Amino acid sequence: EAAVEATAVTATELATQATGPGPDRPGSDRPGTAGALIRMFGDALAVEDIYSERGSVLYDLLGGEDQHEISELLSALGGTRRSVLELAAGSGRLTLPMLRHGHDVVALEKSPMMLRLLGAKAAAAGHGDGPLTLVEGDMSRFDLGRRFDAVVLGATSVSLLDAAGRAAMFGAVRRHLAPTGMFLFSTLQMRRGPMLAQPVRENTHVLTVPAAGGPGGPGGSMVVLVEWIDGPGQQRLISAFRSEVDPAGTVDHRLFTSEVRLLDVADLERELAAAGLTVVGREQIAGGREPDRSTLLLRCVPSPDPDPDG
Ligand code: SAM
């Protein structure tokens, strides 16, 4: 069981525990708990992306039970067997349900460890060579030389790319869509409430996961915090921290981080239009574990070619 308990803790409380000045190391000015931990532990803290080799194992452990957006995605794909290109497929949280529903999936993903986890799960579920193809690649630079009935990008991962990356990704998606194809992707929304009128961190909670089988090996637990940074550059920060002591007494302090930026939907629609994609559907999906989060699933189709006579 990944997520055991959620307890309200403010990031300020954690930051005040960061007593010593700590070595002036890169990242010490990061917002939220990540910055506080870097200042507290200095060079003794190893910091990695949550999609690194070790982080991928952690991501898989944490997200394994997350059903968010799966049913909406499957119904948008409909009952007909489709060829699907899934971008940033991760360890298969969305891929496996699509395979179970009979779709053929090409899963493109940057992290080799994620692809290994996905391949192992698909093999264990009996989805052999036919319906699943794994591709190690970058979603903002790919050319697979074929077209698909659908391109899918879930888990609000569009926010992992900056504006130039999104423009390149949308262009590549357009080139890989069949004329009747659809592009389905989700983007983070935050509910506007009095809480978010605060200028700094909100929505901090702690999830404790048993470490066994996780990136740190046996023993201990891992604290995972999700924080909301308000104001300009709004983003959701995910920080997962653990300290591990090996049998020789060596301590390993490790922090895995990820950021989900809040993107303006009107901006996204303009970027899509510039790439030749038109939004034809918007579905609001309720927010999983975080009560103030929701997701918007956008459905896009190739824009009609401009009138050649016009
Ligand atoms: N789709 C999976 C899910 O729903 O659980 C994984 C989503 S996870 C939030 C984001 C994934 O994007 C990670 O597996 C990460 O390795 C991958 N990723 C990040 N940047 C990428 C890029 N430029 N191209 C392809 N994959 C990328």
Side-chain angles (χ1 to χ4, degrees):
E1 289 300 293
V4 174
E5 199 187 341
T7 318
V9 162
T10 68
T12 319
E13 277 167 358
L14 245 150
T16 52
Q17 291 166 25
T19 45
D24 185 16
R25 63 166 279 185
S28 58
D29 58 347
R30 284 170 70 152
T33 305
L37 288 168
I38 292 168
R39 289 191 293 282
M40 178 161 34
F41 288 101
D43 288 338
L45 182 67
V47 183
E48 306 184 24
D49 193 90
I50 208 159
Y51 308 126
S52 66
E53 282 286 292
R54 287 166 182 255
S56 294
V57 180
L58 167 68
Y59 179 88
D60 183 53
L61 186 74
L62 288 173
E65 305 298 314
D66 186 356
Q67 298 296 309
H68 193 235
E69 77 191 3
I70 294 177
S71 62
E72 293 84 357
L73 175 66
L74 291 173
S75 53
L77 287 172
T80 325
R81 176 179 181 171
R82 293 186 189 277
S83 59
V84 178
L85 168 61
E86 187 189 359
L87 303 177
S91 56
R93 192 181 67 85
L94 305 173
T95 325
L96 290 159
M98 289 193 284
L99 291 169
R100 273 199 296 278
H101 277 68
H103 301 297
D104 294 314
V105 184
V106 173
L108 185 142
E109 163 60 47
K110 196 163 86 170
S111 155
M113 176 57 93
M114 289 283 197
L115 283 173
R116 286 203 290 283
L117 291 166
L118 168 52
K121 284 190 215 177
H127 305 296
D129 290 339
L132 175 65
T133 307
L134 303 178
V135 177
E136 187 182 330
D138 185 331
M139 63 175 151
S140 60
R141 289 161 51 119
F142 62 93
D143 181 3
L144 304 179
R146 55 169 290 202
R147 290 176 186 266
F148 294 84
D149 299 326
V151 179
V152 167
L153 173 59
T156 71
S157 300
V158 64
S159 113
L160 295 171
L161 299 176
D162 62 13
R166 290 195 300 275
M169 188 263 287
F170 292 149
V173 167
R174 174 71 184 80
R175 290 190 294 279
H176 286 76
L177 270 186
T180 56
M182 64 177 130
F183 174 38
L184 298 165
F185 76 99
S186 58
T187 183
L188 176 72
Q189 305 261 279
M190 295 297 287
R191 292 202 187 109
R192 298 283 147 175
M195 197 173 81
L196 297 184
Q198 299 298 320
V200 282
R201 298 176 274 276
E202 292 292 346
N203 186 26
T204 301
H205 55 265
V206 180
L207 302 171
T208 308
V209 295
S221 66
M222 179 160 233
V223 179
V224 180
L225 298 107
V226 181
E227 296 163 274
W228 172 248
I229 306 291
D230 214 347
Q234 291 163 314
Q235 54 190 325
R236 226 172 126 238
L237 305 181
I238 297 144
S239 309
F241 171 72
R242 69 158 297 164
S243 292
E244 183 196 349
V245 186
D246 73 12
T250 311
V251 185
D252 179 51
H253 302 298
R254 201 163 287 272
L255 173 68
F256 299 92
T257 65
S258 185
E259 287 121 46
V260 184
R261 277 171 286 180
L262 187 71
L263 301 172
D264 187 276
V265 177
D267 288 345
L268 283 174
E269 293 202 26
R270 273 190 290 276
E271 292 171 6
L272 288 158
L277 292 163
T278 303
V279 178
V280 293
R282 299 166 188 79
E283 185 178 356
Q284 201 81 42
I285 301 175
R289 286 181 199 136
E290 286 92 42
D292 58 349
R293 181 184 80 164
S294 72
T295 300
L296 190 65
L297 183 66
L298 292 171
R299 179 190 173 106
C300 315
V301 297
S303 308
D305 282 333
D307 181 356
D309 302 325

